[in-house]
Amino acid sequence: MAEPKPTKDLPQTPNWHRKDLLGIRELEIGEIEMILDTAAAFKTVGARDIKKVPALRGKTMVNFFAEPSTRTRTSFELAAFRLSADVVNISATTSSLQKGETLKDTALNLQALHADIIVLRHSSAGAPKFLADRLNSSIINAGDGAHEHPTQALLDVFTIREHLGKIEGLKVAIVGDILFSRVARSNIWALKKLGAKVTLVGPSTLVPRSFEEMGVTVARHIDDILESADVINLLRIQHERQRKEYFPNLNEYIRFFGLTKARGAKLKPSCLIMHPGPINRGVEIDSDIADGLQSVILAQVTNGLAVRMAVLYLCSTAARKVR
Amino acid sequence: MMDLIIKNGRVIDPSNDRDEIADLYVVDARISAQPPAGECETIDARNLVVAPGLIDIHVHLREPGQSHKETFETGSQAAAAGGFSSIVCMPNTDPPADNPSTITWITDRARASASVNIFPSGAITKGLNGEEMAPIGSMVQAGIVAITDDGHCVQNHEVMRRAVEYARMFDLAVLDHCEDYNMVGHGVMHEGYWSTVLGLAGWPRTAEEIIVARNILLADLCETRIHCQHLSSGGSVRLLRDARARGIPVTGELSPHHIALTDEFLSSFDTNYKMNPPLRAPQDVVTLIEGVTDGTVTLLGSDHAPHAPFEKEVEFDRAPFGIAGLETELGLFLTILVHRTKAIDLNRLITLYTVNPATLLRLPKGTLGIGADADITIIDPDLEWTFRRDKSFSRSRNTPFDGWELKGRAVRTIVAGKTVWKT
């Protein structure tokens, strides 16, 4: 098949060599910047009347979500559509994983069907690496256990850069359930690499001291960071059965860590309020603050599309080079 | 069977304080003071070490019920290739070895198909469920040499206390896999920097140490030998050091992977680095080795835990714990403890593999005394070799040591006067 001809406004990326995006930890600073710059170029596509470029025409992307997701799955799907790829969605409940098929066998079958790109969401940390070690297809990590969620971190830093013009030197607080959060880990790597100062805030049971070895500061109380933060990234707080031993109840969580109206008033006017969603209004974030002027929560969603277009484009281009 | 003369070897027999260049005689499958009278085989052991047959007290042979992982035949061949003439098999089989019929079946089956001596251990509790005492006395009559719920850990201290107390009646050692289930939860690796980075659930040191501490208290209370298996935490060594200084009958065991590897290896998400207890941090490795040097850790064991490739080749948190170890343990310990760190000398290493396990489990093994069973391991302590798992005798291939260059290995294993393996 003839190579799809890049339109003249498609970014040229001769220095991208990864067929897979498994995490932020292993990325060089230049690679992160290349994704962000590529995403900026793609963002203009979404604002056009005709929202499609032929970059991945003839490519097949499998959206393999072994764990529930709406926003990330839809975002990847739309990103692929805008790049003219063909998309198949597979979820845990509709796949043969339900019948006891192993991840390895499912993956080999997808490869046998000539899937060029597999976007994997999985509850087990390392599952995307497991596939990448075994398949020729491009593997994009859409969240693996508590390990990494690289495209989320990329869209977060993209959004910060878009609104504040830079990352370096910014004070970014990540608040909430850090221990079980892949979003937190990927954000820590991305922000640290780009020169931000990262502070983690949350109950000591959910922000163990071992995070300090990743080069971040751990604050005991949300009030300690309100006045100085340039960005506050609030994570969804869950209080399901398995979390019971980590903090007593949601009221007590809100008392110490919730971004209430009173706390919101202490923020710098320029401070961005971010959330990877889905938000719990009235828990980690006051409803009015979520909808307020400092909130960039919906901008994150929009930017997610551009970032995922960039990642799909770069990795599939590299896969072509590898083959 | 032919009688033997093993000539000019360095005979190291710690049970008799013997370390000298000498000839060793085997007559009628026993160690003899006199050379064979008639026809015999002569083995040249110049520049080699002639030791009592080594004993590994911590082996999973998977029969009955899991013969797709290992069998008495394949596991005992792996043991022979590793230099072991005697091994103790763990009871976490399917069904578990928690009753005299299963023990008898194991003994019969092992005798029919194994190339080394296999000594069964029996479960502490029925079904390894930690609740109800297994028929320990009947299993003793059927031939067990220890009780353990290995793979599991009795959580109820009262159940454990009564089992330990009961075992005293049979002069039986209790072997314990030290793990507090509530603290471990779904933990799959050492809780520390790397579990933080990888997002894998942590299995904290404390969850081992708290059970080691429990066992120290119970060994003291019941005046019965409790042996803490496969120690992974430096803190466990400190607890045992203190307890042993006070004369409490507790012992500790070291498996080679816990000093050969650290938790950082898990960043590959390779399930061949997944074992229970988990690989820990570099400071634990240092303390574990110190424990061997100062005599706190007195036993070595592989925790040979074979699993089929299809079982291990899955998502990290879904893979079973454990690695195969019989064929690499002696090489790893020689390389790390004797050659690289010089933590102990060869003589001491042989003590840890012969006298100490024989003493703990009251086995009539581990000695080259006159009249003893002619179980002999001939070791080339300086031989440089590379382990290849595709050459392994085990039915499984789950080892992280494929391609490792090691120094020192067994070159011949003799069981009851018969060479069961040689290089």
Side-chain angles (χ1 to χ4, degrees), chain A residues 300-319:
Chain A
Q300 289 174 268
V301 177
T302 306
N303 290 336
L305 251 174
V307 163
R308 290 180 177 116
M309 286 173 76
V311 166
L312 295 174
Y313 174 70
L314 290 169
C315 290
S316 70
T317 307

Side-chain angles (χ1 to χ4, degrees), chain B residues 266-345:
Chain B
L266 278 84
S267 61
S268 64
F269 287 104
D270 182 341
T271 58
N272 284 324
Y273 297 107
K274 180 175 176 180
M275 54 281 277
N276 187 358
L279 301 175
R280 298 213 181 266
Q283 67 263 36
D284 294 286
V285 171
V286 170
T287 313
L288 288 166
I289 292 176
E290 282 171 4
V292 177
T293 305
D294 71 17
T296 302
V297 175
T298 53
L299 288 113
L300 305 173
S302 61
D303 190 11
H304 178 76
H307 292 291
F310 74 86
E311 294 169 314
K312 272 290 202 183
E313 208 176 348
V314 296
E315 298 90 319
F316 192 89
D317 53 4
R318 296 177 193 194
F321 291 101
I323 60 168
L326 279 166
E327 289 165 86
T328 43
E329 61 176 305
L330 179 60
L332 284 164
F333 279 134
L334 280 166
T335 303
I336 298 170
L337 294 178
V338 177
H339 294 301
R340 191 187 302 157
T341 64
K342 301 187 171 29
I344 51 172
D345 61 15

Side-chain angles (χ1 to χ4, degrees), chain B residues 67-88:
Chain B
S67 53
H68 65 287
K69 298 174 194 267
E70 197 75 284
T71 63
F72 293 119
E73 186 180 359
T74 57
S76 66
Q77 282 167 352
F84 296 89
S85 58
S86 294
I87 53 181
V88 177

Side-chain angles (χ1 to χ4, degrees), chain A residues 104 122 124 134 147 185 210, chain B residues 196 198 313 315 317-318:
Chain A
K104 184 189 172 191
H122 199 289
S124 295
R134 288 164 178 79
H147 178 221
R185 285 172 177 81
S210 52
Chain B
T196 304
L198 300 174
E313 208 176 348
E315 298 90 319
D317 53 4
R318 296 177 193 194

Side-chain angles (χ1 to χ4, degrees), chain B residues 74-135:
Chain B
T74 57
S76 66
Q77 282 167 352
F84 296 89
S85 58
S86 294
I87 53 181
V88 177
C89 61
M90 296 294 109
N92 60 336
T93 48
D94 183 17
D98 63 353
N99 64 84
S101 320
T102 305
I103 298 298
T104 302
W105 185 87
I106 289 171
T107 314
D108 290 350
R109 181 93 179 142
R111 195 172 293 132
S113 61
S115 47
V116 304
N117 305 304
I118 291 178
F119 295 99
S121 62
I124 299 171
T125 61
K126 282 185 191 168
L128 306 166
N129 64 13
E131 288 166 13
E132 203 180 332
M133 202 188 296

